[in-house]
Amino acid sequence: MSYHFSSRMASLSGTATREIFKLLTRPEIISFAGGLPANEFLPVEDVAQITAEILASDTARKILQYGVTDGLLPLREILTAYVEDVGIQDAALDNTLVISGGQQGIDLMCKTFLDKGDVVLVEDPTYLAILQIFNAYEAKAVGVKTVKDGLDLDDLEQKMIQLKPKFLYVVPTFSNPTGKTYSASNRKSIAQLASKYHIPVLEDDPYGKLRYSGEEVPALKAFDTSGHVVYISSFSKILSPGLRTGVAIGAPEIIRKMSIGKQGTDLHTSNLSQAVTYEYLKRGKLYPNIEKAVPMYRERRDAMLGALEKYMPDEFIYTRPEGGLFIWGEFPVGIDTVKIFPEAVGQNVAYIQGQVFYADGKGLNTLRLNFSTEPPERIEKGIKILGKLFKQKLSDAKNQI
Amino acid sequence: MSYHFSSRMASLSGTATREIFKLLTRPEIISFAGGLPANEFLPVEDVAQITAEILASDTARKILQYGVTDGLLPLREILTAYVEDVGIQDAALDNTLVISGGQQGIDLMCKTFLDKGDVVLVEDPTYLAILQIFNAYEAKAVGVKTVKDGLDLDDLEQKMIQLKPKFLYVVPTFSNPTGKTYSASNRKSIAQLASKYHIPVLEDDPYGKLRYSGEEVPALKAFDTSGHVVYISSFSKILSPGLRTGVAIGAPEIIRKMSIGKQGTDLHTSNLSQAVTYEYLKRGKLYPNIEKAVPMYRERRDAMLGALEKYMPDEFIYTRPEGGLFIWGEFPVGIDTVKIFPEAVGQNVAYIQGQVFYADGKGLNTLRLNFSTEPPERIEKGIKILGKLFKQKLSDAKNQI
């Protein structure tokens, strides 16, 4: 049977994300492919206690009943204060929308701004799922060059002028996939360019609270004086991804449109998930639990950096992130991480081919390594296997010349 | 500040649904405007017990972690059997997608099939939120005429041929807004026409389990022999709307596209909501709780029908639904329910103006009355007020002539 699908869907197949989740289910695989918080870090007991109290309270019926699209009022209120921690001052209720995870924030931003054929600027490489979402809106992602401390501002300005993009999408803190963090001055310049050329920015900040070294940097939104930046954050990495909660903060006119878009999509986010998120914040559970998790994540990051130093070929260049979940690496051109991937999995180690993070199919010689879910011993073991495999491939490549 | 919104969003403002929810918060209002399950019916104790057991079990970490887009496997498995109750045989896993409420099923069907300018056929009048969703996809809804036992098959066939719609949307059991139920033979004919003209059907069934009189009728999907019907159902009216869970059943090719669409929207439905829904079904809580709720809803329906008979003007024609949440009524042309609405609210009674359910702005003389949330005494009191108000308006209208 063939169906007349919409043109946006006709060409879409499952993303790499989807296929990756399947790989993770085999226990013998040492997986650096995911982007999950560590199972050990999920606050099961806190959530159990909070949920029991919510469902035994007077508000239980309210939680099980329909809610409003913008989100539970107490949660929205506490979120306006929560974002002060990243330097976003004066957020009010009409700036604040509860979303079903960060992914929904991206989707609603696209829904609000993108028409078929529009251009969106992204850091190159960028979060792979957003490239898939742009396809669904029949929009085109164009990569912006990067420098050490963020985006290449000249390239950004030129592309803002020439391409008239509908918005710029960035993950400026512990970026996915590179692990990079933009400097405060780079953020400020991006906000100024956005204002100058009247181009909205979507700042995606799922990892910002997971810092293992270095100094905190305010959100890009903190430098926004003209209402052009929409800030989205998620509780997936610092509370629970299974609950699907997050927040979008932006100009009231934009938030209002995103809310209307959300109404058509899921009416509202699960009230139970929202209530758990609210109580978790209100009871002051978030930061103590993050403080407990950070040393574990730091140990894993350091184990991976150490193993990369020890086992990977000298030609392999990689990032040294101050937080987040990912290290990004690059081989000399000629090494094809897509082609080598099945061999790595055959040796029970998984990574993600860097190519999927590029807007234009570049990056065959790159890969992304996640360090959050495997214990240090398995990280060492897995990188050792990858090191041997890639050394062999480099040697093969040289012999061919 | 003005922004360059997408063309789909530029013209969209909040729907009637949104404004209605605000009205419902004033306790002095007797509201026939909503579409909510009764608060008393929400199974708070069962959900509390189930949730506590889930979060104390070995699967708790799995529930708080990321899940797969299609839904939790045990829930999908039990749902394939669940839909047998409405006559859908042989549903397999690849026919089955967990959705974040019925609303998301509608959105994903649109995403899968609609391009800008496409036509969708709907019963006239139809569920108001779907008209808003079609706007968001820049598609056009065209109403199909109705007969006593369902759709007017000649009109349907003619419009299938002439307009080449991308799909037909129907709520064939206790329809929103009319409360009508299509006969088995009407359903069978619709399925045959869908197959003949190769036009998918979206069957929305949120109310089917709430039957207070008459005989059960199989789902339209039960008559689908060619994979053209997608069946969606929701747990909002029979378990909890706040959890946001539902199911879509369709041909694997369509379900696969819907799943890809869902991945870009929210990655997956809240695992906690899914796990609660699964345990609620598995423990056999659903049907006993529905059996407890049905007499209460029947009493309210009968209270409203009785009050309509007693208090409304003779010129008022209305449906006598066998289930669901709504009664639909029609005044003689000239009575304008939109204009009268503020006056009714001024007397502390709310209904919904029927016009919002029409694809083309017809129905100024119609209204929808919900009977699920007010107790019988308040239903009687509210209809008495409406009866007096509309009798006065009819008398005014006659005097003008």
Side-chain angles (χ1 to χ4, degrees), chain B residues 109-124:
Chain B
M109 183 81 177
C110 291
K111 204 172 195 175
T112 298
F113 284 103
L114 296 186
D115 287 309
K116 188 175 176 168
D118 281 344
V119 167
V120 184
L121 297 182
V122 296
E123 181 181 341
D124 221 4

PDB file of all heavy atoms in Angstrom, chain B residues 109-124:
ATOM      1  N   MET B 109      -1.345  13.090  12.502  1.00  0.00           N
ATOM      2  CA  MET B 109      -2.006  12.718  11.240  1.00  0.00           C
ATOM      3  C   MET B 109      -1.882  13.883  10.252  1.00  0.00           C
ATOM      4  O   MET B 109      -1.588  13.680   9.067  1.00  0.00           O
ATOM      5  CB  MET B 109      -3.470  12.386  11.531  1.00  0.00           C
ATOM      6  CG  MET B 109      -4.252  11.906  10.323  1.00  0.00           C
ATOM      7  SD  MET B 109      -3.949  10.141   9.982  1.00  0.00           S
ATOM      8  CE  MET B 109      -5.070   9.902   8.584  1.00  0.00           C
ATOM      9  N   CYS B 110      -2.112  15.095  10.749  1.00  0.00           N
ATOM     10  CA  CYS B 110      -1.971  16.285   9.888  1.00  0.00           C
ATOM     11  C   CYS B 110      -0.536  16.407   9.376  1.00  0.00           C
ATOM     12  O   CYS B 110      -0.300  16.649   8.189  1.00  0.00           O
ATOM     13  CB  CYS B 110      -2.341  17.545  10.662  1.00  0.00           C
ATOM     14  SG  CYS B 110      -4.093  17.669  11.065  1.00  0.00           S
ATOM     15  N   LYS B 111       0.412  16.238  10.283  1.00  0.00           N
ATOM     16  CA  LYS B 111       1.828  16.349   9.928  1.00  0.00           C
ATOM     17  C   LYS B 111       2.193  15.333   8.849  1.00  0.00           C
ATOM     18  O   LYS B 111       2.981  15.612   7.945  1.00  0.00           O
ATOM     19  CB  LYS B 111       2.652  16.080  11.189  1.00  0.00           C
ATOM     20  CG  LYS B 111       4.031  16.675  11.200  1.00  0.00           C
ATOM     21  CD  LYS B 111       4.656  16.483  12.595  1.00  0.00           C
ATOM     22  CE  LYS B 111       5.860  17.376  12.768  1.00  0.00           C
ATOM     23  NZ  LYS B 111       6.406  17.289  14.145  1.00  0.00           N
ATOM     24  N   THR B 112       1.591  14.155   8.955  1.00  0.00           N
ATOM     25  CA  THR B 112       1.909  13.062   8.041  1.00  0.00           C
ATOM     26  C   THR B 112       1.309  13.269   6.650  1.00  0.00           C
ATOM     27  O   THR B 112       1.892  12.844   5.661  1.00  0.00           O
ATOM     28  CB  THR B 112       1.412  11.729   8.645  1.00  0.00           C
ATOM     29  OG1 THR B 112       2.095  11.511   9.874  1.00  0.00           O
ATOM     30  CG2 THR B 112       1.665  10.554   7.725  1.00  0.00           C
ATOM     31  N   PHE B 113       0.160  13.930   6.598  1.00  0.00           N
ATOM     32  CA  PHE B 113      -0.548  13.983   5.315  1.00  0.00           C
ATOM     33  C   PHE B 113      -0.718  15.370   4.691  1.00  0.00           C
ATOM     34  O   PHE B 113      -0.896  15.468   3.490  1.00  0.00           O
ATOM     35  CB  PHE B 113      -1.928  13.323   5.446  1.00  0.00           C
ATOM     36  CG  PHE B 113      -1.860  11.818   5.483  1.00  0.00           C
ATOM     37  CD1 PHE B 113      -1.992  11.135   6.680  1.00  0.00           C
ATOM     38  CD2 PHE B 113      -1.620  11.093   4.328  1.00  0.00           C
ATOM     39  CE1 PHE B 113      -1.908   9.748   6.726  1.00  0.00           C
ATOM     40  CE2 PHE B 113      -1.531   9.707   4.353  1.00  0.00           C
ATOM     41  CZ  PHE B 113      -1.673   9.036   5.562  1.00  0.00           C
ATOM     42  N   LEU B 114      -0.690  16.422   5.497  1.00  0.00           N
ATOM     43  CA  LEU B 114      -1.128  17.712   4.960  1.00  0.00           C
ATOM     44  C   LEU B 114      -0.010  18.607   4.454  1.00  0.00           C
ATOM     45  O   LEU B 114       0.964  18.883   5.157  1.00  0.00           O
ATOM     46  CB  LEU B 114      -1.922  18.482   6.025  1.00  0.00           C
ATOM     47  CG  LEU B 114      -3.222  17.839   6.481  1.00  0.00           C
ATOM     48  CD1 LEU B 114      -3.956  18.783   7.416  1.00  0.00           C
ATOM     49  CD2 LEU B 114      -4.094  17.456   5.300  1.00  0.00           C
ATOM     50  N   ASP B 115      -0.176  19.079   3.241  1.00  0.00           N
ATOM     51  CA  ASP B 115       0.613  20.177   2.710  1.00  0.00           C
ATOM     52  C   ASP B 115      -0.284  21.414   2.644  1.00  0.00           C
ATOM     53  O   ASP B 115      -1.522  21.317   2.674  1.00  0.00           O
ATOM     54  CB  ASP B 115       1.130  19.828   1.307  1.00  0.00           C
ATOM     55  CG  ASP B 115       2.238  18.796   1.360  1.00  0.00           C
ATOM     56  OD1 ASP B 115       3.195  18.994   2.128  1.00  0.00           O
ATOM     57  OD2 ASP B 115       2.149  17.784   0.638  1.00  0.00           O
ATOM     58  N   LYS B 116       0.370  22.543   2.551  1.00  0.00           N
ATOM     59  CA  LYS B 116      -0.344  23.817   2.422  1.00  0.00           C
ATOM     60  C   LYS B 116      -1.358  23.745   1.281  1.00  0.00           C
ATOM     61  O   LYS B 116      -1.027  23.287   0.183  1.00  0.00           O
ATOM     62  CB  LYS B 116       0.690  24.920   2.140  1.00  0.00           C
ATOM     63  CG  LYS B 116       0.154  26.314   2.168  1.00  0.00           C
ATOM     64  CD  LYS B 116       1.295  27.314   2.010  1.00  0.00           C
ATOM     65  CE  LYS B 116       0.763  28.733   1.933  1.00  0.00           C
ATOM     66  NZ  LYS B 116       1.861  29.718   2.063  1.00  0.00           N
ATOM     67  N   GLY B 117      -2.569  24.182   1.560  1.00  0.00           N
ATOM     68  CA  GLY B 117      -3.594  24.217   0.518  1.00  0.00           C
ATOM     69  C   GLY B 117      -4.415  22.949   0.384  1.00  0.00           C
ATOM     70  O   GLY B 117      -5.386  22.916  -0.375  1.00  0.00           O
ATOM     71  N   ASP B 118      -4.029  21.886   1.109  1.00  0.00           N
ATOM     72  CA  ASP B 118      -4.776  20.626   1.022  1.00  0.00           C
ATOM     73  C   ASP B 118      -6.168  20.760   1.637  1.00  0.00           C
ATOM     74  O   ASP B 118      -6.411  21.614   2.490  1.00  0.00           O
ATOM     75  CB  ASP B 118      -4.023  19.502   1.748  1.00  0.00           C
ATOM     76  CG  ASP B 118      -2.889  18.943   0.901  1.00  0.00           C
ATOM     77  OD1 ASP B 118      -2.870  19.201  -0.315  1.00  0.00           O
ATOM     78  OD2 ASP B 118      -2.024  18.242   1.465  1.00  0.00           O
ATOM     79  N   VAL B 119      -7.036  19.851   1.215  1.00  0.00           N
ATOM     80  CA  VAL B 119      -8.394  19.806   1.752  1.00  0.00           C
ATOM     81  C   VAL B 119      -8.547  18.604   2.682  1.00  0.00           C
ATOM     82  O   VAL B 119      -8.033  17.517   2.407  1.00  0.00           O
ATOM     83  CB  VAL B 119      -9.434  19.712   0.600  1.00  0.00           C
ATOM     84  CG1 VAL B 119     -10.820  19.353   1.129  1.00  0.00           C
ATOM     85  CG2 VAL B 119      -9.470  21.021  -0.168  1.00  0.00           C
ATOM     86  N   VAL B 120      -9.211  18.807   3.805  1.00  0.00           N
ATOM     87  CA  VAL B 120      -9.597  17.719   4.699  1.00  0.00           C
ATOM     88  C   VAL B 120     -11.112  17.752   4.827  1.00  0.00           C
ATOM     89  O   VAL B 120     -11.699  18.825   4.986  1.00  0.00           O
ATOM     90  CB  VAL B 120      -8.975  17.897   6.102  1.00  0.00           C
ATOM     91  CG1 VAL B 120      -9.304  16.695   6.980  1.00  0.00           C
ATOM     92  CG2 VAL B 120      -7.478  18.090   6.012  1.00  0.00           C
ATOM     93  N   LEU B 121     -11.735  16.596   4.740  1.00  0.00           N
ATOM     94  CA  LEU B 121     -13.180  16.545   4.948  1.00  0.00           C
ATOM     95  C   LEU B 121     -13.483  16.331   6.428  1.00  0.00           C
ATOM     96  O   LEU B 121     -12.781  15.576   7.112  1.00  0.00           O
ATOM     97  CB  LEU B 121     -13.804  15.407   4.133  1.00  0.00           C
ATOM     98  CG  LEU B 121     -13.674  15.501   2.611  1.00  0.00           C
ATOM     99  CD1 LEU B 121     -14.397  14.318   1.954  1.00  0.00           C
ATOM    100  CD2 LEU B 121     -14.217  16.825   2.082  1.00  0.00           C
ATOM    101  N   VAL B 122     -14.508  17.011   6.906  1.00  0.00           N
ATOM    102  CA  VAL B 122     -14.944  16.834   8.293  1.00  0.00           C
ATOM    103  C   VAL B 122     -16.461  16.751   8.313  1.00  0.00           C
ATOM    104  O   VAL B 122     -17.127  17.226   7.388  1.00  0.00           O
ATOM    105  CB  VAL B 122     -14.518  18.031   9.185  1.00  0.00           C
ATOM    106  CG1 VAL B 122     -13.010  18.144   9.277  1.00  0.00           C
ATOM    107  CG2 VAL B 122     -15.123  19.356   8.690  1.00  0.00           C
ATOM    108  N   GLU B 123     -16.990  16.136   9.375  1.00  0.00           N
ATOM    109  CA  GLU B 123     -18.422  16.245   9.599  1.00  0.00           C
ATOM    110  C   GLU B 123     -18.694  17.702   9.955  1.00  0.00           C
ATOM    111  O   GLU B 123     -17.871  18.353  10.600  1.00  0.00           O
ATOM    112  CB  GLU B 123     -18.838  15.330  10.762  1.00  0.00           C
ATOM    113  CG  GLU B 123     -20.329  15.394  11.030  1.00  0.00           C
ATOM    114  CD  GLU B 123     -20.770  14.509  12.195  1.00  0.00           C
ATOM    115  OE1 GLU B 123     -20.024  13.588  12.578  1.00  0.00           O
ATOM    116  OE2 GLU B 123     -21.871  14.747  12.720  1.00  0.00           O
ATOM    117  N   ASP B 124     -19.818  18.222   9.530  1.00  0.00           N
ATOM    118  CA  ASP B 124     -20.162  19.607   9.850  1.00  0.00           C
ATOM    119  C   ASP B 124     -21.373  19.582  10.760  1.00  0.00           C
ATOM    120  O   ASP B 124     -22.418  19.083  10.360  1.00  0.00           O
ATOM    121  CB  ASP B 124     -20.493  20.362   8.551  1.00  0.00           C
ATOM    122  CG  ASP B 124     -19.907  21.760   8.543  1.00  0.00           C
ATOM    123  OD1 ASP B 124     -19.193  22.111   9.486  1.00  0.00           O
ATOM    124  OD2 ASP B 124     -20.190  22.481   7.581  1.00  0.00           O
TER     125      ASP B 124
END
